[in-house]
Amino acid sequence: MRTQVAIVGAGPAGLLLGALLHRAGVDAVIVERRSADYVLSRIRAGVLEQTTADLLDEAGVGARMHAEGLPHGGIELSFGGTRHRIDIQQLTGGKHVTVYGQTEVTRDLMHAREVDGLTTVYEAEGVSVHDFDGARPRVRYQHGGVWHEIECDFIAGCDGFHGVCRASVPTAAIQLFERVYPFAWLGLLSETPPVREELIYTRHERGFALCSMRSPTRSRYYLQCSLDDKVADWSDDAFWDELRHRLDPEAAESLVTGPSIEKSIAPLRSFVAEPMRFGCLFLAGDAAHIVPPTGAKGLNLAASDVGLLARAFAEFYAGSEQGIATYSERCLRRVWKAERFSWWFTSLMHQFPDNNAFGQRMQQAELAYLVGSVAASTVLAENYVGLPLEH
Ligand code: FAS
Ligand code: PHB
């Protein structure tokens, strides 16, 4: 098989890249290790920046997001038993985020790809990438017991943190930056109305908590938990009791509980691989960087990477190498700013085992300053809605 761009991974990065390339008249094939149902079963992000919403529109898949997504102009910070609203829309001159689950984004992209009759190979085994620094870049995989090879001009490594593409880069050619956090997030999805209309980020001495949602009838909650915790350690009742302990009294009182429809534990890390290009191999999304989900940046960074990459490939086929030559540096400027914001917000809102009494007071003082200063709240607001894209 031959194509212009071979995309490894059918998560949001790979699927959005494929959709944008199709719109630009560039041929691409996606090779995915898992089944489509498995990809859809992973419950992850929930908040889209405007730049991500714009890219979904550009890819022609924004209709359901506009119909079912929830525009949010603010968030609430809860600490010391009270909640403080950050008026994001007012502080950013009218910008907002859209609450629309990653699962739905992925579903919309998969549907569009099927309607357009584009090639996606699911349940591909033994995927490997070859000669990406030579003249004949190729992707090999086994499907149904038969080995296949895709000859291409470019390989897009959209295969996430545990993928094969970054792992195939010689160690001397790549620099890794990482911070692993001493805790995890326990997430729960329930068919219950959200506790408030907007998200609540809670700092509590028992640990961080986040109240989010997927719709007016479906809620998504997170609790900071130990890295040693297992989902089986947390009954639904134990989850709801702990969440009530961490919420302010009014929110705890209005919390509607119900059976979980999904529960999962995710470790938190900050991670960046530099550069994001190796010859004909380009990394995008979680394959290149990971942020702790506190700042709701992971999915949005993946989208902005592939927005730049799709444009760069289209420019290449139109005769300019400028886009592919500057892809890595342009992505990394935005990635590092999102890494900073996600690290800062995580450090502010979570309990750290080595945080002494002074550290607790520093967190409390920073939160008091944050909600009392227009300048400080503006910094939070403009990072939360997403910094401008470089074109
Ligand atoms: P993904 O990991 O989504 O997709 C990569 C794809 O490549 C997967 O489908 C995988 O099966 C496939 N793949 C891997 N190896 C392969 C191989 N060798 N061959 C072929 N295919 C291969 N972000 C937020 O903003 N908010 C959140 O609350 C949030 N929660 C998260 C919870 C968890 C458990 C995780 C892991 C991430 C979370 N994220 C969150 C971040 C998440 O949303 C990512 O940023 C987003 O999925 C990035 O998309 P991709 O880069 O496409 O990577
Ligand atoms: C979610 O709804 O899954 C979500 C929202 C905001 C975050 C993290 C996760 O910061």
Side-chain angles (χ1 to χ4, degrees), residues 26-208:
V26 177
D27 186 42
V29 169
I30 299 180
V31 178
E32 162 61 47
R33 176 170 65 177
R34 301 287 192 175
S35 69
D37 286 345
Y38 183 94
V39 174
L40 285 170
S41 70
R42 295 185 304 225
I43 307 299
R44 289 188 175 168
V47 173
L48 306 185
E49 294 175 356
Q50 189 58 52
T51 50
T52 302
D54 294 345
L55 284 167
L56 293 175
D57 282 335
E58 186 181 327
V61 298
R64 203 160 67 94
M65 171 192 63
H66 291 297
E68 299 175 18
L70 305 171
H72 276 209
I75 60 172
E76 291 188 293
L77 301 182
S78 170
F79 56 94
T82 54
R83 290 195 315 275
H84 306 262
R85 184 169 188 266
I86 303 292
D87 188 342
I88 287 172
Q89 194 139 11
Q90 194 268 327
L91 290 165
T92 60
K95 293 181 182 178
H96 67 276
V97 294
T98 301
V99 171
Y100 188 67
Q102 174 172 323
T103 303
E104 304 319 313
V105 172
T106 306
R107 199 188 312 277
D108 294 339
L109 286 163
M110 284 180 175
H111 176 70
R113 192 163 181 81
E114 198 175 332
V115 166
D116 292 336
L118 302 175
T119 305
T120 310
V121 180
Y122 287 102
E123 297 177 289
E125 298 175 11
V127 177
S128 58
V129 292
H130 304 272
D131 204 23
F132 48 81
D133 52 0
R136 279 189 66 235
R138 301 182 310 285
V139 173
R140 289 176 50 77
Y141 65 92
Q142 189 180 44
H143 192 258
V146 177
W147 281 100
H148 300 265
E149 184 167 279
I150 303 174
E151 294 205 354
C152 52
D153 299 327
F154 299 108
I155 301 171
C158 300
D159 50 346
F161 183 68
H162 300 290
V164 67
C165 290
R166 189 185 72 246
S168 301
V169 175
T171 46
I174 195 168
Q175 187 175 5
L176 307 180
F177 305 81
E178 185 170 58
R179 167 162 297 190
V180 177
Y181 296 89
F183 42 75
W185 275 20
L186 167 63
L188 180 145
L189 193 67
S190 57
E191 207 63 48
T192 56
V195 65
R196 297 278 298 175
E197 284 188 359
E198 294 179 327
L199 275 63
I200 306 175
Y201 289 82
T202 296
R203 178 194 175 276
H204 191 278
E205 56 265 17
R206 294 171 69 103
F208 168 83

Side-chain angles (χ1 to χ4, degrees), residues 24 47 71 149 155 163 179 182 198 208 218 244 257 271 312 315 331 335 355-356 362 368:
V47 173
E149 184 167 279
I155 301 171
R179 167 162 297 190
E198 294 179 327
F208 168 83
R218 178 167 288 200
R244 278 197 195 89
T257 65
F271 172 86
E315 287 168 6
C331 279
V335 164
N355 211 3
N356 60 16
M362 285 296 97

Side-chain angles (χ1 to χ4, degrees), residues 118-363:
L118 302 175
T119 305
T120 310
V121 180
Y122 287 102
E123 297 177 289
E125 298 175 11
V127 177
S128 58
V129 292
H130 304 272
D131 204 23
F132 48 81
D133 52 0
R136 279 189 66 235
R138 301 182 310 285
V139 173
R140 289 176 50 77
Y141 65 92
Q142 189 180 44
H143 192 258
V146 177
W147 281 100
H148 300 265
E149 184 167 279
I150 303 174
E151 294 205 354
C152 52
D153 299 327
F154 299 108
I155 301 171
C158 300
D159 50 346
F161 183 68
H162 300 290
V164 67
C165 290
R166 189 185 72 246
S168 301
V169 175
T171 46
I174 195 168
Q175 187 175 5
L176 307 180
F177 305 81
E178 185 170 58
R179 167 162 297 190
V180 177
Y181 296 89
F183 42 75
W185 275 20
L186 167 63
L188 180 145
L189 193 67
S190 57
E191 207 63 48
T192 56
V195 65
R196 297 278 298 175
E197 284 188 359
E198 294 179 327
L199 275 63
I200 306 175
Y201 289 82
T202 296
R203 178 194 175 276
H204 191 278
E205 56 265 17
R206 294 171 69 103
F208 168 83
L210 170 59
C211 302
S212 182
M213 71 230 26
R214 290 294 179 268
S215 75
T217 59
R218 178 167 288 200
S219 296
R220 179 72 173 164
Y221 294 104
Y222 295 96
L223 293 176
Q224 173 184 349
C225 67
S226 162
L227 282 170
D228 301 328
D229 279 3
K230 302 283 180 287
V231 171
D233 301 336
W234 285 87
S235 68
D236 287 4
D237 288 345
F239 185 96
W240 296 124
D241 288 347
E242 187 58 35
L243 179 60
R244 278 197 195 89
H245 274 120
R246 299 184 188 184
L247 289 177
D248 60 275
E250 185 198 18
E253 181 62 34
S254 51
L255 176 67
V256 177
T257 65
S260 60
I261 49 182
E262 188 270 356
K263 259 189 294 196
S264 52
I265 290 181
L268 274 65
R269 76 177 75 237
S270 297
F271 172 86
V272 180
E274 286 188 3
M276 290 173 55
R277 176 197 182 183
F278 308 89
C280 299
L281 171 65
F282 291 75
L283 302 180
D286 278 17
H289 40 72
I290 296 285
V291 284
T294 321
K297 291 296 157 218
L299 173 57
N300 293 296
L301 280 179
S304 52
D305 286 352
V306 298
L308 291 179
L309 190 54
R311 202 165 283 126
F313 285 153
E315 287 168 6
F316 171 82
Y317 289 109
S320 165
E321 299 209 9
Q322 179 71 8
I324 57 173
T326 58
Y327 165 76
S328 179
E329 65 189 74
R330 284 184 295 142
C331 279
L332 286 168
R333 278 197 286 270
R334 192 167 196 267
V335 164
W336 276 113
K337 290 172 186 169
E339 290 283 347
R340 181 211 65 83
F341 172 67
S342 305
W343 159 82
W344 167 79
F345 203 16
T346 301
S347 304
L348 177 61
M349 299 301 286
H350 288 72
Q351 291 301 318
F352 287 75
D354 60 352
N355 211 3
N356 60 16
F358 179 79
Q360 296 284 332
R361 286 288 185 271
M362 285 296 97
Q363 287 181 323

